[in-house]
Every structure is written in C-alpha cells, then in structure tokens.
Amino acid sequence: MALAALIGCGTAQNKNENDASAGSTTDEATVTEQEQPQNNNTMKTLVTYFSASGVTRETAKQLADIIGADLYEITPETPYTEADLDWRDKQSRSTLEMNDKSSRPALKDGGKVDLTNYDVVYVGFPIWWYTAPTIINTFIEANDFTGKTIVPFATSGGSNIKKSCEDLQAAYPDYKFGEGRLLNSIDKAEIEAWAAAVK
C-alpha cells in the first residue's frame, strides 16, 4: 500500500478515513489502557496519539513498530461517545470544542509524559474540521517540548494535514516541528525514509 506522502505540511488527500466532509469526526470513542513510556539513558523516539475509534491508534502502532519507537496514547479524561462526535449536531461535544479554539479538553492523569529521554516526539490525531482536535493542544500544553522535535501525523477521510501543521506551528512558535504527514496507509520504506530525515 502506498503512503499518502506530503511535502512540508503537504497537500495530498486520501478519502479512506475520518472527516469525509468538513466537520466529520468518524474516529469514534474507544479508550484503551495507556502505555506509559519507559526511561533509560539513551535518547529515543516516542509516538503519541489521540484516537477515538481506533483508526489513528492502529496507524500509530504501525508507525512505532517500523521506527522502533515507544508508544503513548493521549487519553481524554471523559471518553468521546458516538453522540459527542456527531459533527452534524451543532451542540455535540466535538462541534462545541472545535468551534472554540480556546477549548482544552481534559486528559486522563493530566496528559503529562516524561519526555526526558526523547528527542523526537510524533503526535498523531484524526483531522477534525480541517485541523487537529483541540485535545492535541491540551497535550502539547501539558508538556515541555523544549529541545524536542514534534512531528505531526494524521488520519483523515478527505482533508490533508497542511492546515493542522500550520495551526500547530502558529500556536507553538517556540517549538521545533518536523515534516507532518497524512498516514492513511503505510509503506515501510517510505516511513523509514521520512523518520530518517527528522532532525
């Protein structure tokens, strides 16, 4: 299967996942046990992800396996229900969150991760309303990414990752970002080349 590769933040699209229309949030609610990364004395890579239905979770697991990274799930304090993710409902939880850019959904255990021994942190999410869910802002703001490289990746039913990358970089100008990619499908060789280019 071919990787949906992007240049910089990129513009390529793949309609296999998530937001087939402007507000769709089809990555629906399921929360599994968090995997807290283990520390050691060597700098390593961490793959973090938010997933509501398991689509982004499976992508994150494949990515972590290919690049030999640790894995951490960004888990909401209150799981998203199917009703919460109904983008057609103007009063649904996800709609209200995405319409309020100051929204910071609470995370389980505060979303804090020991990043001491990581120099590259991949951050994955389904694209909602053309950008990253605001829970990703909660996660970034809960942790100190100084000296780290943040590498966004996403799954989507129609949107590309360009706006997500631009929004995150604008929100956190003091942090270093690597090339973001839409990962609706996985090609091992391309993933390895992408990871190898991260500085």
Side-chain angles (χ1 to χ4, degrees), residues 19-188:
D19 62 339
S21 61
S24 171
T25 56
T26 59
D27 198 1
E28 295 168 1
T30 307
V31 175
T32 59
E33 183 178 347
Q34 272 180 232
E35 300 173 53
Q36 186 72 21
Q38 300 297 313
N39 286 335
N40 60 35
N41 294 324
T42 61
M43 297 304 283
K44 300 190 299 183
T45 298
L46 177 64
V47 171
T48 67
Y49 66 93
F50 163 67
S51 184
S53 71
V55 174
T56 307
R57 179 180 300 114
E58 289 308 309
T59 297
K61 287 180 178 179
Q62 291 179 64
L63 172 60
D65 183 60
I66 291 170
I67 65 176
D70 289 336
L71 196 61
Y72 175 83
E73 182 168 9
I74 300 167
T75 307
E77 186 173 82
T78 303
Y80 288 85
T81 66
E82 186 172 346
D84 289 337
L85 299 172
D86 185 358
W87 59 271
R88 295 161 296 190
D89 179 359
K90 293 183 179 179
Q91 294 304 311
S92 74
R93 176 182 169 190
S94 59
T95 301
L96 294 174
E97 288 175 358
M98 296 307 292
N99 283 334
D100 177 6
K101 296 309 177 186
S102 67
S103 170
R104 296 295 184 266
L107 291 172
K108 184 177 179 181
D109 300 324
K112 292 191 177 295
V113 185
D114 184 354
L115 299 176
T116 305
N117 293 320
Y118 297 100
D119 51 5
V120 176
V121 181
Y122 290 79
V123 179
F125 47 85
I127 295 177
W128 291 0
W129 283 262
Y130 304 108
T131 193
T134 55
I135 199 168
I136 297 301
N137 299 86
T138 309
F139 175 68
I140 291 176
E141 291 167 15
N143 294 283
D144 183 2
F145 289 87
T146 303
K148 317 295 180 185
T149 300
I150 301 171
V151 184
F153 69 95
T155 58
S156 171
S159 297
N160 60 55
I161 197 173
K162 182 178 180 180
K163 187 173 188 303
S164 301
C165 293
E166 290 173 347
D167 289 349
L168 290 172
Q169 290 169 348
Y172 309 105
D174 293 334
Y175 287 150
K176 178 182 177 183
F177 285 82
E179 176 192 5
R181 293 223 178 185
L182 189 67
L183 300 183
N184 282 347
S185 57
I186 298 289
D187 179 282
K188 186 174 184 290

